[in-house]
């Protein structure tokens, strides 16, 4: 028996229940991972509330790191004793141990500890595809990245600096702005005290930016469109303030034939070869020191509900993890 968080109904943080789960042997294509640390991400909230539907009862969490204890028939990706990390469905990372598809597991370099591995995978792989594939950011370009002091944002600040791009980051407080600047943001905008659209125009001499990365959603969507150059790319990859309401495609035409995309990590990493290539680049950035994973909140597994409360209240910065 292992301790795990289960969701029997959608709702607030209180629906996260710590229960005993009987964990059998891994099936064909599966591996059992004894987890040392578990990542917490806003996508976990979306599943908990029902914004992203799933069959219930269900597990929670999509990211973790630990050691392979057993493998099922046909597994070639990992072996017993391997240090591994992962990000991806099925949900169920909030647990002391779990059986999961071995094809999602990646061998963790010895230079990266378990806590870092658990905190970096979903957020780091997200930044990898956002800046390298969704829109290929080039040295010298200026980009706008919302929620720059969050887990994804702080990685993006460092990654942009490493490739020679200028990142304008929005934040919700001056203290968060200092975090983003320390991580590599060129400029920060406190959207609670400044008009971020007007400030972007000022910082770019009226030219605006070729790409906006927006994980906030409803509160920033139209403003983000107003920050784009003609033929610019709007990357909407989250809904922290709520989903983007329906809008007319004319909104894109009237601002200069804009492009828009709603990407997910799971589409970009659907093929094992792509996942391995993405992870290799992320591992290299972390091992080299160009990207440091800033874990600022640690919670016991039993306090998953409190972790969600603080995440939704925007009381957290950097990355958060559960310790089983």
């Amino acid at each position: 028996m292992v301790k795990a968080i289960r969701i029997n109904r959608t709702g607030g943080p209180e629906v996260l229940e710590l229960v005993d789960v009987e964990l059998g042997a891994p099936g064909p294509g599966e591996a059992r991972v004894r987890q040392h640390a578990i990542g917490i991400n806003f996508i976990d909230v979306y599943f908990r509330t029902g914004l992203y539907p799933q069959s219930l009862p269900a597990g929670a969490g999509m990211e973790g790191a630990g050691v392979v204890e057993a493998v099922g028939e046909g597994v070639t990706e990992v072996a017993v004793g391997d240090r591994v990390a992962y990000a991806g469905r099925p949900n169920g990372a909030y647990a002391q141990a779990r059986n999961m598809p071995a094809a999602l597991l990646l061998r963790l370099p010895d230079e990266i500890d378990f806590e870092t591995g658990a905190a970096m995978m979903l957020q780091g792989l997200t930044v990898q595809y956002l800046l390298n594939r969704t829109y290929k950011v080039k040295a010298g370009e200026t980009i706008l990245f919302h929620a720059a002091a969050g887990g994804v944002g702080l990685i993006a600040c460092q990654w942009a600096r490493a490739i020679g791009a200028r990142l304008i980051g929005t934040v919700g407080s001056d203290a968060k702005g200092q975090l983003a600047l320390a991580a590599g943001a060129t400029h920060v905008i406190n959207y609670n005290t400044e008009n971020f659209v007007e400030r972007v125009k000022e910082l770019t001499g009226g030219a605006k930016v070729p790409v906006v990365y927006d994980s906030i959603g409803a509160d920033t969507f139209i403003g983000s469109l107003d920050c784009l150059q003609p033929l610019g790319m709007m990357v909407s990859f989250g809904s922290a303030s709520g989903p983007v309401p329906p809008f007319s495609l004319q909104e894109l035409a009237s601002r200069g034939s804009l492009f828009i995309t709603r990407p997910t990590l799971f589409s970009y990493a659907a093929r094992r070869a792509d996942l391995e290539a993405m992870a290799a680049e992320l591992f290299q950035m972390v091992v080299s020191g160009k990207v440091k994973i800033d874990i600022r909140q640690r919670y016991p597994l039993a306090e998953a509900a409190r972790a969600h409360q603080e995440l939704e209240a925007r009381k957290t910065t950097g990355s958060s993890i559960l310790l089983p």
Side-chain angles (χ1 to χ4, degrees):
M1 303 292 286
V2 299
K3 297 289 187 183
I5 296 292
R6 288 291 183 265
I7 301 172
N8 291 294
R9 68 188 193 282
T10 58
E14 70 280 358
V15 306
L16 299 172
E17 300 178 35
L18 185 68
V19 299
D20 290 313
V21 176
E22 186 171 351
L23 193 62
E30 290 185 334
R32 184 170 70 236
V33 178
R34 176 64 57 174
Q35 304 204 116
H36 288 239
I38 301 150
I40 304 170
N41 297 280
F42 220 98
I43 194 172
D44 305 343
V45 174
Y46 300 157
F47 280 108
R48 191 204 74 219
T49 61
L51 178 63
Y52 289 2
Q54 63 177 335
S55 299
L56 297 176
M62 309 184 76
E63 176 181 49
V67 176
V68 176
E69 285 190 328
V71 297
E73 182 182 352
V75 170
T76 59
E77 296 88 353
V78 294
V80 173
D82 281 349
R83 302 172 69 253
V84 295
Y86 65 89
R89 298 185 70 175
N91 289 329
Y94 291 12
Q96 292 174 329
R98 64 181 301 203
N99 294 328
M100 59 179 302
L104 293 179
L105 298 174
L106 295 151
R107 290 186 177 90
L108 193 63
D110 292 339
E111 299 93 332
I112 300 176
D113 61 69
F114 288 120
E115 290 193 4
T116 300
M120 68 184 270
M121 295 303 294
L122 195 146
Q123 295 171 349
L125 290 172
T126 296
V127 173
Q128 192 280 336
Y129 82 75
L130 287 176
L131 271 60
N132 287 280
R133 296 175 66 190
T134 304
Y135 178 92
K136 179 68 174 177
V137 178
K138 297 178 284 295
E141 284 189 311
T142 300
I143 67 176
L144 176 62
F145 208 103
H146 288 294
V152 173
L154 290 178
I155 295 173
C157 289
Q158 297 174 77
W159 205 300
R161 178 173 59 185
I163 61 179
R166 295 185 292 271
L167 184 145
I168 301 172
T170 68
V171 295
S173 69
D174 292 340
K176 288 185 175 182
Q178 291 303 311
L179 288 176
L181 288 171
T186 307
H187 303 283
V188 294
I189 302 168
N190 183 340
Y191 51 67
N192 287 318
T193 60
E194 300 177 274
N195 182 310
F196 75 84
V197 177
E198 294 304 317
R199 188 72 178 117
V200 166
K201 291 178 182 177
E202 291 174 9
L203 291 170
T204 60
K208 299 190 280 191
V209 296
V211 62
V212 176
Y213 296 100
D214 190 337
S215 62
I216 302 299
D219 289 353
T220 52
F221 180 75
I222 294 298
S224 293
L225 296 181
D226 290 334
C227 291
L228 283 166
Q229 301 168 355
L231 307 184
M233 172 70 79
M234 170 65 179
V235 183
S236 175
F237 70 100
S239 308
S241 67
V244 175
F247 71 98
S248 170
L249 290 178
Q250 186 60 30
E251 299 284 353
L252 305 179
S254 65
R255 290 170 172 81
S257 301
L258 304 180
F259 296 87
I260 186 168
T261 183
R262 180 60 173 88
T264 69
L265 168 62
F266 315 113
S267 297
Y268 282 85
R271 296 192 310 161
R272 175 74 185 184
D274 289 333
L275 175 61
E276 290 178 343
M278 294 165 67
E281 185 172 0
L282 172 61
F283 293 158
Q284 189 278 327
M285 292 290 275
V286 172
V287 171
S288 71
K290 293 178 180 177
V291 168
K292 294 181 172 61
I293 306 303
D294 190 8
I295 302 171
R296 290 179 166 261
Q297 295 81 214
R298 293 171 172 84
Y299 307 88
L301 178 63
E303 295 184 14
R306 180 168 71 90
H308 275 223
Q309 289 170 346
E310 295 184 0
L311 180 65
E312 290 180 272
R314 302 187 185 181
K315 293 181 179 179
T316 64
T317 55
S319 299
S320 302
I321 60 172
L322 295 171
L323 298 174

